[in-house]
Each structure stands twice: as structure tokens, then as C-alpha cells.
Amino acid sequence: MNGLIQSIFAKSPLKPLVKHICKVHECCSALVPFFQAVYADNWQEALETQQQIKALEEEADKIKMNIRMKLPKGLFMPVDRTDLLHLVTQQDKIANQAKDIAGIVLGRQLKVPEEVREDFLRYIRRCLDATLLASKVIGELENLLEIGFKGKEVKLVEEMVEELDVIESDTDSIQIDLRHRLYQLEATLNPVDAIFLYDILKMIGALADQAESIGSTLEVMVGRA
């Protein structure tokens, strides 16, 4: 019987799921040096960093496909299969978003106005706080499984999910402020660039939004367990 249980849980997709979200966060984190290169007007370095982001997104994509192909379909899943598929899809969207952000900025050689650069980078870093915390929340899945979704681990996850909500709220506030400041600068900007800057702001904010969604999904999973 013990051998059967071990063989079932040896195929658990939880470790690959954690590996995937860590790769996703690594992909997003490269946005900081990418924008630093953009600020420096070093488009060659920006290109190289964009290629790193693209490569990391592709690595995450391979992990995602491996999870989907090898996810057990039997009755002995430690957690609901549909929930895990939903989680990996949510995680995947974050890496895709990071790749798209870098691609658009590089493709247009889009410059961020000097007046908002410091806060723009602060905004990115705050969104990355969310992706990092999402990776930690997913990392708690195995611990939750071991203790049967109860006790201190559940409380820890609940606190982390609450912190994700706080971070996402912070990023919303920073985005509103940056949008207002861009509006004040519109007369000095290329009109098309201004449109793209607003879009990039929204896309960066979506990193935190999606990270919060991951926390919400896990919270539902814990509630059902």
C-alpha cells in the first residue's frame, strides 16, 4: 500500500508547478534591467535583455506544457486537477505579459519621460513584489498537502494572500498617479508614444493583478480542502 501511495505522489505536479512560477518570476524580474537599459538609451543592451526575457518565457512555456501532458487523470490526485490547470494558466499569463511588455517597448524604442522614470521603476518593482509573493504562495502547496490543508500552514497562506491584495492595491494607486502625471506631460509627448505608454502601464499592472488571482485561486482550493 505504501508503495502505491509513493508512486502516486511521486507523479505529483506540485514540484513542476513551483518550478514554473519561479521561472515566471525570473522572467518578470528581467524587466528591471530591461527598463534601466531603456533609460540609458542603450538599445543593444535592451535587445539582449529582451531576448533573455523571451528565452525565460519559452522555458516557462515548456514547463507548462510538461505539466499539462503529465498531469494525472486518475482518482488519486492530491489536489483538484482543474484547479492545477487553472493555476498553471494564470502563471503562464504573467510570463507572456512580461515578454509582450519588453517586445512592445523595444519594437517602438519607446522612451519613458524622465519626469516619471523613478516612480515608473518603483511601480515595476512593486508589481514584482506580487509575482515573488505568488511564487512563495505556490511554494506552500506541498507543505499544505503534507499536513492535510490545516493548521499553521493554512494561516500562513491566508496571510500571504492578504499581502498580495495589499500589493495589488498599492500598484493600482501607483498606476493612477503615473497615469495622471503622463496626462500632464502629454503636450510634450509624441501622441502615439503617449498611447503606448498608457498601454504599458496597464500591462505592467496586470502582472500584479494576475499574481493576486493566483492567490485567490489557491485560497479557494484551501477552502474546499
Side-chain angles (χ1 to χ4, degrees):
M1 182 67 176
N2 287 338
L4 174 60
I5 293 174
Q6 287 175 0
S7 67
I8 290 167
F9 283 88
K11 297 179 181 179
S12 168
L14 300 186
K15 282 185 172 63
L17 192 71
V18 174
K19 182 179 179 182
H20 181 259
I21 189 63
C22 288
K23 186 64 66 176
V24 166
H25 175 65
E26 184 182 356
C27 175
C28 295
S29 296
L31 287 172
V32 171
F34 172 78
F35 274 98
Q36 288 171 334
V38 171
Y39 288 2
D41 224 8
N42 188 338
W43 293 103
Q44 180 56 39
E45 185 176 340
L47 171 61
E48 292 170 2
T49 310
Q50 183 267 342
Q51 290 298 304
Q52 291 173 12
I53 291 171
K54 184 174 180 290
L56 288 166
E57 188 276 333
E58 289 173 352
E59 288 177 33
D61 210 42
K62 289 177 182 177
I63 299 171
K64 175 196 70 177
M65 294 304 297
N66 188 56
I67 292 171
R68 287 178 174 174
M69 289 191 315
K70 295 185 178 181
L71 199 60
K73 296 181 180 180
L75 297 175
F76 297 103
M77 283 284 288
V79 288
D80 189 87
R81 186 175 188 273
T82 302
D83 287 337
L84 290 175
L85 287 171
H86 185 48
L87 275 174
V88 77
T89 298
Q90 288 178 310
Q91 293 176 185
D92 187 57
K93 287 179 180 178
I94 297 175
N96 287 340
Q97 193 82 321
K99 181 186 71 172
D100 291 345
I101 290 165
I104 290 170
V105 172
L106 181 68
R108 286 195 57 82
Q109 293 200 352
L110 188 64
K111 297 183 179 181
V112 179
E114 290 185 13
E115 294 90 339
V116 299
R117 285 182 180 180
E118 183 177 343
D119 286 336
F120 194 92
L121 204 56
R122 181 170 67 90
Y123 175 52
I124 294 170
R125 286 188 168 117
R126 192 57 173 153
C127 290
L128 293 178
D129 286 343
T131 62
L132 175 60
L133 187 54
S135 70
K136 291 180 179 179
V137 172
I138 294 300
E140 290 299 320
L141 267 177
E142 284 189 287
N143 292 332
L144 284 170
L145 176 62
E146 287 175 3
I147 63 170
F149 289 87
K150 60 185 178 181
K152 292 182 180 179
E153 286 296 330
V154 171
K155 181 64 175 175
L156 175 60
V157 167
E158 289 173 349
E159 290 173 353
M160 292 168 80
V161 171
E162 287 175 5
E163 180 60 22
L164 272 173
D165 291 341
V166 171
I167 294 171
E168 194 274 337
S169 180
D170 286 348
T171 62
D172 281 348
S173 297
I174 299 171
Q175 182 181 158
I176 289 168
D177 178 64
L178 283 170
R179 288 177 67 87
H180 178 66
R181 291 169 66 187
L182 280 178
Y183 171 73
Q184 293 176 319
L185 294 169
E186 274 185 16
T188 67
L189 301 175
N190 176 303
V192 178
D193 283 351
I195 292 170
F196 274 95
L197 281 168
Y198 285 124
D199 285 344
I200 292 298
L201 274 180
K202 185 176 180 181
M203 293 172 72
I204 292 170
L207 301 176
D209 293 342
Q210 200 62 44
E212 184 193 31
S213 295
I214 289 170
S216 298
T217 298
L218 185 53
E219 195 170 36
V220 171
M221 289 170 63
V222 172
R224 283 205 303 258

